[in-house]
Amino acid sequence: MRAVLTRVRAASVSIDGEVVGKIGKGFLILLGVGSEDGEAECRFLAEKALSLRLFEDEQGKMNLGLEQVAGEVLVVSQFTLYGSCRKGRRPSFTDAAPPALGNAMYQRFLAICEELGYPPQHGRFGADMQVESINDGPVTILLDTDSLMNTPRR
């Protein structure tokens, strides 16, 4: 699984002009599911993302987590995180999970976030969504379970 995690002051996701998810201070997580991802990758990534200390303390050091700042979470599915641009000019998405697996792992990620105490706002899997955010810092982190879990593929 892959995620782009951005520290935000506010973020929202809309579908057909209607806001379906909205947060204040917290993390905007763009989530991509790979074709070989399962429960282990899902749980690992959720726990890692939600435990990161990316908010500044009184000394200006990134030392505070979501809990300390009463932060919120917005999760948006984004299969294009598995786009490969190795050949040609059009990305290939062969490493992305097929829709059934992608949706199942997306739903599982949302459930794990809730289990961990951060009920997420979210978009809708497979929908055409518009995402707005006010990035804070900006602070943006790339997370990839292939490298984080030491299980390289291909």
Side-chain angles (χ1 to χ4, degrees):
M1 294 185 99
R2 293 178 181 163
V4 174
L5 185 151
T6 303
R7 184 179 75 185
V8 297
R9 291 185 182 183
S12 66
V13 59
S14 300
I15 300 171
D16 295 328
E18 178 186 347
V19 174
V20 296
K22 182 177 182 177
I23 64 168
K25 178 186 237 177
F27 292 159
L28 167 61
I29 301 173
L30 304 177
L31 182 70
V33 179
S35 60
E36 298 179 24
D37 289 330
E39 174 72 21
E41 289 82 6
C42 196
R43 180 162 293 282
F44 181 90
L45 188 63
E47 289 175 353
K48 178 60 111 176
L50 297 178
S51 68
L52 290 174
R53 297 183 303 170
L54 299 179
F55 297 94
E56 294 177 354
D57 62 16
E58 302 81 33
Q59 287 77 41
K61 294 188 180 201
M62 284 195 282
N63 206 22
L64 303 177
L66 283 170
E67 184 176 8
Q68 289 84 21
V69 300
E72 300 174 284
V73 177
L74 173 62
V75 181
V76 177
S77 65
Q78 189 165 353
F79 81 96
T80 59
L81 291 178
Y82 274 89
S84 172
C85 297
R86 282 180 233 135
K87 297 179 182 177
R89 294 184 293 178
R90 185 175 17 188
S92 167
F93 299 103
T94 58
D95 290 341
L101 175 61
N103 188 31
M105 289 297 97
Y106 175 66
Q107 297 303 324
R108 186 66 188 123
F109 187 89
L110 297 175
I112 293 169
C113 288
E114 186 151 2
E115 287 172 21
L116 295 173
Y118 299 98
Q121 294 288 303
H122 55 86
R124 185 169 58 229
F125 184 86
D128 181 18
M129 297 174 278
Q130 292 71 51
V131 179
E132 294 186 42
S133 66
I134 301 173
N135 297 352
D136 186 14
V139 173
T140 303
I141 303 291
L142 300 174
L143 300 170
D144 187 329
T145 56
D146 283 354
S147 60
L148 291 170
M149 296 174 75
N150 284 327
T151 54
R153 297 182 187 149
R154 292 187 199 187

